[in-house]
Amino acid sequence: MDVMTAIELTDNEFLRQFETTFDEKLAKIEYSLQDRKIFLTKIHMPEGTEDRMNDFIVAVFKEVEDRNIRLVPTSPEIAKFMRSNRRKYKNLLPVGINI
């Protein structure tokens, strides 16, 4: 099954977080939006859903790419994912930022 069809992503602009549910539990990635850059500041995965974290991050990265804005991963987990997949996602980073 395609990951993108498996995750329904919601942008809760009021709380400044991307949200999805796994097993009826809310997972979220908090963000801050500044000057055409989105800073992914914190990720919260409900207990028992940690194995889906990478799928959730990929869905958020796809959303950021679709919006044509740059991404700065300040959350340690998201920065680690970015480092592991830098070739695939380096185009999302602002000019001059290396992870």
Side-chain angles (χ1 to χ4, degrees):
M1 179 165 57
D2 182 16
V3 171
M4 293 302 113
T5 59
I7 294 182
E8 269 191 49
L9 197 61
T10 303
D11 182 0
N12 184 332
E13 293 179 15
F14 180 72
L15 294 176
R16 293 186 314 276
Q17 63 191 22
F18 292 105
E19 302 171 342
T20 194
T21 53
F22 297 116
D23 304 324
E24 299 180 17
K25 299 175 190 166
L26 183 67
K28 56 191 176 188
I29 294 179
E30 296 174 14
Y31 67 81
S32 173
L33 196 57
Q34 302 170 7
D35 301 324
R36 304 281 305 146
K37 290 188 208 80
I38 190 164
F39 294 80
L40 302 180
T41 57
K42 189 174 184 184
I43 186 167
H44 171 75
M45 296 297 294
E47 190 173 326
T49 65
E50 296 85 357
D51 60 325
R52 303 285 311 270
M53 183 168 62
N54 287 353
D55 295 341
F56 185 26
I57 293 171
V58 167
V60 170
F61 281 19
K62 173 84 171 97
E63 178 67 21
V64 168
E65 186 175 40
D66 290 348
R67 292 182 187 189
N68 197 28
I69 56 178
R70 298 291 162 229
L71 179 144
V72 181
T74 58
S75 157
E77 298 91 347
I78 298 172
K80 180 181 177 186
F81 176 84
M82 177 65 94
R83 272 192 297 279
S84 299
N85 298 279
R86 74 169 53 109
R87 285 201 173 116
K88 186 172 183 179
Y89 296 112
K90 69 181 178 185
N91 62 315
L92 295 177
L93 292 171
V95 174
I97 300 286
N98 291 312
I99 299 290

